[in-house]
Amino acid sequence: MGEIGPVASERTTSLGTRRSQAGETVTLVDSNVLLDVLTADPVWAEWSATALAEAFDAGRVVLNPIVYAEVSIGFDRIEDLDDALPPNQFVREPLPWPAGFLAGKAFLRYRRAGGSRSTPLPDFYIGAHAAVAGYRLLTRDRGRYGTYFPTVELIAPS
């Protein structure tokens, strides 16, 4: 697998700017975007690499343990994963406790709407983290996040 890091951009981005409580633009990155870049996905690598570079240009880029776990599947050693997602570039944050509560409520809505999974999906924790922290979310999964976390600014393909 490859390596990801910030890429200085000279282009003007059209991305919105959601600010964290400190007034800083922070973007939580979903594993699908990272995997697109790391695996050089023939369909999505270019879109994901560009969106990730724009997120670095805008401010801090954050991972949580769930995203880290999902990406880790492609690596044999933790050192290789950390080389691909350098901790000095990707801020690592724990899942906030209120995000666990919100993820549970979103999962309950999902089940009541006919969802078939019996345990909360990782996406619920990721979306809840972005929601409670006031972060933007870089993902290719607009549907579920948009439905269950409507307050989160999504950076996703149209």
Side-chain angles (χ1 to χ4, degrees):
M1 293 210 157
E3 201 173 301
I4 304 176
V7 177
S9 172
E10 294 180 7
R11 64 192 167 282
T12 303
T13 70
S14 60
L15 300 175
T17 53
R18 176 155 208 158
R19 303 288 180 183
S20 70
Q21 290 178 355
E24 168 186 36
T25 299
V26 181
T27 306
L28 179 63
V29 182
D30 196 0
S31 57
N32 55 24
V33 171
L34 298 171
L35 289 168
D36 290 344
V37 177
L38 290 168
T39 64
D41 182 274
V43 175
W44 290 106
E46 185 177 344
W47 182 89
S48 292
T50 299
L52 189 57
E54 290 175 351
F56 276 112
D57 288 348
R60 286 191 307 134
V61 175
V62 172
L63 305 176
N64 68 27
I66 294 166
V67 171
Y68 188 84
E70 290 179 328
V71 175
S72 76
I73 293 168
F75 293 85
D76 293 329
R77 298 175 340 117
I78 193 170
E79 295 84 1
D80 296 333
L81 176 57
D82 287 343
D83 286 344
L85 302 173
N88 64 333
Q89 296 171 2
F90 290 90
V91 177
R92 284 127 192 253
E93 289 188 1
L95 187 69
W97 284 99
F101 181 83
L102 182 57
K105 296 304 172 199
F107 178 70
L108 184 60
R109 284 184 51 218
Y110 161 83
R111 290 289 298 190
R112 288 182 176 159
S116 61
R117 299 283 182 115
S118 60
T119 58
L121 301 168
D123 290 349
F124 289 117
Y125 295 107
I126 295 165
H129 183 174
V132 302
Y135 296 166
R136 307 177 319 160
L137 179 59
L138 174 55
T139 184
R140 281 194 291 101
D141 186 5
R142 180 180 294 279
R144 183 173 292 137
Y145 290 119
T147 298
Y148 295 102
F149 302 99
T151 63
V152 173
E153 178 184 343
L154 299 177
I155 302 165
S158 316

